[in-house]
Amino acid sequence: MADNIKILVVDDEPEVLEVCAEMLGKEACDVRTAASGAEALEMTESFKPDVCLIDVAMPGMTGLEFLKHLDTQGCTCEALMMTGHESLADAQESMRLGARGYITKPLFRETLVPQVQTAAAMARRQREARDRLETLRREVRAAEQALDTAREVLAEKEHLMDSILNGMGEGILALDCNGNIVFMNPRAEKILDLSFIEHAGANLEQALKGRDFAPWLGAAAASEETGAWDHLVVSIPRKGESRRHHYLVRTSGFESGDGAVVGKVINLIDHTAKVESERLRDFFLSTVAHELRTPVTIVKNYVNLLRSVSSDPQQYREVASDMGIATDKLGRLVNNIVALSSLSSARYARDTAEINVEAIVRAQFETRQRMIQEKRLSLHIHSDLDGCTVISDPRLMDTAIGCVASNAVKFNRPGGRIAVSLAREKNSGHTMLRMEFEDTGAGMSRAARDNLFKGFEQGEASLTRRHGGMGIGLYLTKRAMDILGGRIHIESEEGRGTRVELAVPLKE
Amino acid sequence: MMAKTRVLLIDDEKLLVKSTVLALGCYEFDTDGALDGPEGLEKARKEPPDIILLDIMMPGMDGWQVLKQLKESDATRNIPVVIFTAKEYSNGHALAREQGAAGYVAKPFELEELVEEIRKHTS
């Protein structure tokens, strides 16, 4: 039913209407009739015919006028004009007006039906084409909307990106492979005192010529490296201030799809706080340490003097002895604080000297002689070194051995034992110095042993609180071993004792 | 009787010079002190000692400058110099050697250690 051709026949003669209805009705056509153009017009809207069979000669509205009306109405049917011989001229005129064809009366099935079917097919095809066009139009509109939405999202993201770049604390510069400025965020503009608008496309080196921090560019801009790398911290004066800020210059190449470096992104990261804290540490290490050490040295001198003064020897000796202990402790405190600070630093400059390890070991236990005697500890030092010296950093060895010795004495039980063995060992081409310290002390639990090396990595603040406690001592030893490229191994059993093994690679 | 080893101590701390001079006096050393670089250089040139103990952190001319001048002058070039300082150097021994000193003793020191060091360079 849906495929029935819809035909509207318009003729003032009822017989024509009947004949058409009859002939076409048999051909699976849905036929309606109208006796006048006016009547037909009322029907076209709702009926939507595929084909209109129109009598040319009608009273009132003629076939041509009806055709014009159809056109105005926007009806999409095909029009076939029916004409008697008299109005052939009209029929031809109607063809000009867009009718599909004309049929001369009288009507015969053999001519009428095929023409109607052809016209209908054409009408159908046209309708389908129009529908397709309409669909396409709708799809285009939808695509355009999607594009608009995408544009909005992109604009939003760009805006976000801009806010981030503009608000960033880091200065960001992008250079092309010729070192010309492709992008600068506001922070970079401020740091370098350049304007992106003014200098976009300009060569960075040229733009910064004459500034005292310009040399670092050579490395950053010209470097062929890929990936990301850090350069020196650059000190750049703040505009209008005498103060300088320190920036870590981080450069990364950005690559095109085939791996060629097409440009560089340079980050200027404010490093001032870090630099200042390192300076503070340096100040502490040099000036403060120096200040603390001078009076200690003076007192030590007098202590030594007192020991050898003869009048009232007993009293003087006791005073001297006590002062000796106090200043020794003070000296050790200073050394520990200094060691902690300098060994914690990544930049420790290793010293080299010939050292007598056995002498260091003996000296470290010697300074704790009083406690050894009070606790009645037996100390055994066995050495395979035969008085030979080794080449190493005297202070690191001193610190490492001192901390272990301190623990062996401090945590030992009365009547306990300390055994030290020193040996030179060769394995797989390397010579190692092995130092073992065994004590019959309090030992440590597994948890305590695991926490041993954590030291200040945990961000613990108070030096004085930790000083002298076991934790800090072995932390220093571990750090010393790390710097020397050696290792530390600890075995311990609570209530039984501890064995600390230090191994240090030696230069042959 | 063997002549006493003559030691010149250059250090800006008055009390330190005094106490060290006294302490070393208990051994076979005849110690004189100078409170700054210029005074030390003058004394070293006038009456060359057997060994110089040289502090680093001094106002005006610092120890490294004094060392340089000692090594530049014929009169004092061959006097062994032991750097004797409270300033923190993690690589003090190496640094001292690099600059032409014979040894390095950090403060505070064990008196015996200092005596050993002096004897080492003046035997």
Side-chain angles (χ1 to χ4, degrees):
Chain A
M1 272 322 215
D3 283 317
N4 277 8
I5 302 167
K6 292 192 278 187
I7 303 175
L8 178 61
V9 190
V10 188
D11 201 313
D12 58 308
E13 291 176 62
E15 307 85 53
V16 175
L17 295 179
E18 246 182 76
V19 163
C20 287
E22 202 222 310
M23 277 197 267
L24 297 170
K26 288 183 181 157
E27 306 296 333
C29 295
D30 196 352
V31 186
R32 303 272 175 93
T33 58
S36 70
E39 196 189 324
L41 281 174
E42 280 166 34
M43 292 167 73
T44 49
E45 187 72 46
S46 52
F47 181 48
K48 290 195 179 34
D50 293 311
V51 181
C52 288
L53 279 172
I54 309 162
D55 181 26
V56 172
M58 285 191 289
M61 195 189 292
T62 65
L64 286 176
E65 279 162 10
F66 175 68
L67 194 59
K68 284 183 195 155
H69 280 293
L70 266 187
D71 204 29
T72 316
Q73 225 186 39
C75 183
T76 57
C77 61
E78 293 291 316
L80 288 171
M81 311 305 291
M82 294 188 290
T83 173
H85 185 74
E86 315 88 56
S87 46
L88 206 52
D90 283 333
Q92 285 167 346
E93 173 65 19
S94 62
M95 290 292 288
R96 220 180 42 79
L97 286 173
R100 181 57 58 190
Y102 59 87
I103 304 170
T104 45
K105 293 178 184 170
L107 302 168
F108 294 104
R109 176 172 290 120
E110 298 78 19
T111 42
L112 180 65
V113 170
Q115 283 205 27
V116 167
Q117 281 174 337
T118 307
M122 212 164 283
R124 285 275 157 90
R125 274 204 296 279
Q126 283 207 12
R127 192 165 297 140
E128 277 164 22
R130 275 195 202 97
D131 286 344
R132 260 203 310 279
L133 187 61
E134 192 48 45
T135 308
L136 282 171
R137 281 209 185 96
R138 258 183 277 126
E139 281 173 7
V140 168
R141 270 197 299 276
E144 274 171 355
Q145 260 174 18
L147 186 61
D148 281 337
T149 310
R151 278 206 190 97
E152 265 172 38
V153 171
L154 187 63
E156 239 181 75
K157 295 251 183 287
E158 273 183 6
H159 183 68
L160 183 65
M161 176 77 162
D162 278 339
S163 315
I164 292 173
L165 284 175
N166 290 344
M168 254 176 117
E170 278 183 29
I172 299 193
L173 284 157
L175 305 178
D176 66 17
C177 49
N178 295 320
N180 298 329
I181 300 172
V182 167
F183 172 77
M184 265 174 81
N185 76 341
R187 187 101 187 92
E189 289 181 301
K190 199 159 180 221
I191 293 169
L192 299 175
D193 196 22
L194 292 176
S195 147
F196 179 46
I197 292 170
E198 261 181 63
H199 293 98
N203 187 272
L204 181 64
E205 244 180 300
Q206 286 295 321
L208 288 178
K209 207 171 198 151
R211 308 270 192 98
D212 62 352
F213 54 88
W216 63 261
L217 307 166
S223 176
E224 295 288 298
E225 291 177 57
T226 54
W229 63 99
D230 292 345
H231 285 291
L232 299 176
V233 174
V234 173
S235 157
I236 300 174
R238 272 246 158 125
K239 189 171 184 189
E241 294 176 35
S242 55
R243 196 179 169 212
R244 282 180 163 254
H245 269 230
H246 307 280
Y247 295 95
L248 180 67
V249 179
R250 176 167 293 150
T251 313
S252 26
F254 59 88
E255 299 170 12
S256 65
D258 54 11
V261 174
V262 294
K264 292 190 183 65
V265 176
I266 298 176
N267 290 45
L268 299 169
I269 302 159
D270 198 322
H271 220 57
T272 307
K274 203 162 184 186
V275 166
E276 279 172 357
S277 101
E278 271 172 21
R279 286 200 178 147
L280 201 66
R281 200 227 318 268
D282 289 343
F283 167 79
F284 171 75
L285 276 181
S286 57
T287 310
V288 174
H290 176 272
E291 294 308 307
L292 281 172
R293 283 166 161 169
T294 305
V296 168
T297 314
I298 293 167
V299 171
K300 277 177 87 91
N301 280 338
Y302 279 118
V303 162
N304 279 302
L305 212 70
L306 283 172
R307 283 196 182 120
S308 44
V309 167
S310 56
S311 56
D312 203 359
Q314 183 59 27
Q315 197 175 37
Y316 274 115
R317 270 191 211 109
E318 260 197 61
V319 165
S321 178
D322 288 341
M323 284 175 74
I325 293 165
T327 54
D328 282 347
K329 237 179 165 174
L330 184 55
R332 279 202 297 273
L333 170 64
V334 169
N335 285 335
N336 268 357
I337 291 169
V338 168
L340 190 65
S341 185
S342 71
L343 294 194
S344 305
S345 158
R347 317 168 292 157
Y348 183 90
R350 281 165 60 166
D351 204 357
T352 45
E354 269 186 38
I355 53 179
N356 184 328
V357 177
E358 196 184 323
I360 293 177
V361 171
R362 288 189 190 282
Q364 286 295 342
F365 283 107
E366 186 65 35
T367 64
R368 289 147 182 115
Q369 194 54 36
R370 203 197 212 196
M371 199 185 281
I372 291 174
Q373 280 170 358
E374 278 177 4
K375 285 184 162 181
R376 296 170 289 113
L377 303 175
S378 65
L379 171 64
H380 305 267
I381 301 175
H382 174 80
S383 167
D384 281 349
L385 302 178
D386 293 324
C388 289
T389 56
V390 301
I391 297 183
S392 188
D393 181 318
R395 224 152 18 134
L396 288 179
M397 291 292 270
D398 215 30
T399 303
I401 293 170
C403 296
V404 180
S406 178
N407 287 344
V409 172
K410 215 187 307 182
F411 297 91
N412 220 323
R413 56 179 155 83
R417 185 186 139 92
I418 302 173
V420 182
S421 99
L422 309 170
R424 210 196 224 107
E425 224 173 56
K426 252 198 169 78
N427 67 33
S428 54
H430 301 289
T431 312
M432 305 284 284
L433 170 66
R434 260 190 66 225
M435 299 167 273
E436 253 183 58
F437 299 79
E438 225 174 2
D439 70 62
T440 51
M444 327 166 221
S445 66
R446 168 146 277 164
R449 193 164 56 91
D450 291 339
N451 278 328
L452 216 44
F453 303 133
K454 283 186 182 158
F456 284 75
E457 287 156 34
Q458 304 280 30
E460 298 220 34
S462 169
L463 276 170
T464 47
R465 182 171 68 83
R466 293 289 299 275
H467 165 66
M470 203 179 194
I472 201 185
L474 288 180
Y475 170 75
L476 289 177
T477 303
K478 169 100 180 24
R479 275 300 292 151
M481 289 297 111
D482 286 347
I483 295 169
L484 288 169
R487 48 159 223 278
I488 173 171
H489 177 71
I490 301 176
E491 279 168 20
S492 185
E493 209 186 323
E494 264 187 296
R496 284 206 64 181
T498 303
R499 194 176 132 258
V500 177
E501 189 190 294
L502 305 176
V504 175
L506 296 176
K507 283 198 206 326
E508 262 306 282
Chain B
M1 189 186 82
M2 216 165 60
K4 283 190 167 185
T5 306
R6 298 186 52 247
V7 179
L8 175 61
L9 167 56
I10 309 176
D11 194 311
D12 64 311
E13 282 282 344
K14 235 195 289 205
L15 219 54
L16 191 115
V17 169
K18 184 180 169 201
S19 59
T20 309
V21 165
L22 286 173
L24 288 176
C26 299
Y27 297 83
E28 74 278 15
F29 307 120
D30 183 8
T31 314
D32 189 15
L35 293 174
D36 60 35
E39 192 191 340
L41 284 168
E42 204 194 303
K43 285 192 169 179
R45 283 185 200 124
K46 269 211 179 119
E47 292 179 41
D50 298 311
I51 185 166
I52 296 174
L53 301 177
L54 178 58
D55 183 28
I56 294 298
M57 296 245 299
M58 293 189 287
M61 194 189 281
D62 76 13
W64 297 118
Q65 292 172 304
V66 174
L67 179 60
K68 186 158 178 271
Q69 293 210 19
L70 285 170
K71 293 301 165 192
E72 279 170 1
S73 161
D74 283 328
T76 54
R77 182 173 300 136
N78 295 319
I79 306 171
V81 178
V82 171
I83 300 296
F84 172 74
T85 179
K87 182 168 157 78
E88 174 60 24
Y89 290 107
S90 63
N91 58 343
H93 285 86
L95 194 56
R97 272 199 313 273
E98 259 171 53
Q99 299 297 314
Y104 171 89
V105 171
K107 293 176 191 156
F109 51 86
E110 297 301 323
L111 191 60
E112 292 79 27
E113 192 193 321
L114 182 62
V115 167
E116 273 304 308
E117 190 71 20
I118 295 171
R119 285 179 180 156
K120 190 163 113 184
H121 299 291
T122 55
S123 56

